[in-house]
Amino acid sequence: MAELEVLTYPDKFLKQPTKPVEEIDGTIQKLIDRMTETMYNAPGVGLAAIQVGYDKSLLIYDISPKEEKRSLQVLINPRIITSEGTIISENEGCLSVPDFRADVGRAASVLVEGLDRTGKPIRIEAEGLLAIVLQHEIDHLNGTLFIDRISPLKRELYKRRIKKKLKRE
Ligand code: NI
């Protein structure tokens, strides 16, 4: 199974809102498998389909991605139902925003509903790292990157750095 290429900022495709998955068919299962391989190889704790070029409301995550204890989670058409409190997500990063980390304000806890890979409705009450990962990945499904949630000054610095880098290449 071939790994997928992860799109990176400033690729405009990442800004695209995604469409709901209508049918969880073989194509979707194959996409999930390829995303899984891509996420573990990166390595990352989460990956949204939009990051690998599919504008579908689909994400995967594993907050304990060490090989011995892997526990892959698949979330299709997720929605944040409620969110409470605030926390600072320290040094947040993203496979689509290489070589950059920043503190991001996030809700402290969220209630998320969606479907698992068999189409069964699931409901997740999350706090801490899991809540952060879910918010980060669901943001992707709405075309939002974590750098859209940091101060404009920090964002400008990153943008300038990327522009310089692209010019050099
Ligand atoms: Ni990300």
Side-chain angles (χ1 to χ4, degrees):
M1 191 96 40
E3 236 184 285
L4 294 155
E5 191 198 338
V6 178
L7 306 177
T8 57
Y9 178 87
D11 195 311
K12 286 204 170 61
F13 196 74
L14 293 166
K15 295 247 111 203
Q16 193 139 308
T18 54
K19 299 178 192 91
V21 174
E22 307 278 359
E23 201 187 339
I24 306 172
D25 55 11
T27 309
I28 291 290
Q29 300 294 346
K30 210 174 282 171
L31 174 59
I32 292 168
D33 289 341
R34 293 182 73 189
M35 284 172 62
T36 303
E37 192 175 330
T38 307
M39 179 180 77
Y40 284 134
N41 284 349
V45 293
L47 187 68
I50 191 83
Q51 293 179 271
V52 289
Y54 293 82
D55 57 349
K56 291 286 176 199
S57 182
L58 162 68
L59 62 89
I60 62 171
Y61 64 93
D62 186 344
I63 58 169
S64 58
K66 291 220 176 82
E67 221 155 332
E68 327 78 76
K69 309 194 209 179
R70 279 183 183 174
S71 164
L72 179 75
Q73 307 296 322
V74 176
L75 201 44
I76 296 169
N77 302 341
R79 281 191 312 137
I80 294 178
I81 305 297
T82 57
S83 50
E84 267 174 51
T86 51
I87 44 167
I88 300 296
S89 161
E90 284 174 22
N91 268 321
E92 197 165 311
C94 178
L95 296 176
S96 293
V97 185
D99 308 316
F100 186 68
R101 288 187 168 267
D103 292 354
V104 183
R106 296 280 184 194
S109 64
V110 288
L111 172 64
V112 173
E113 286 181 357
L115 303 174
D116 72 8
R117 75 183 294 173
T118 69
K120 197 176 90 196
I122 42 175
R123 160 184 267 254
I124 306 160
E125 283 176 54
E127 53 179 27
L129 177 62
L130 179 57
I132 290 168
V133 170
L134 288 171
Q135 290 169 80
H136 178 113
E137 299 308 327
I138 291 171
D139 266 356
H140 274 301
L141 304 182
N142 298 313
T144 301
L145 296 173
F146 82 94
I147 50 172
D148 297 320
R149 295 191 181 276
I150 63 176
S151 77
L153 180 66
K154 276 191 192 154
R155 188 166 50 242
E156 267 323 300
L157 289 174
Y158 179 70
K159 284 186 180 172
R160 250 183 266 165
R161 179 139 66 86
I162 289 297
K163 266 187 208 147
K164 266 190 212 154
K165 191 175 156 230
L166 290 175
K167 236 182 240 170
R168 275 200 308 269
E169 279 166 2

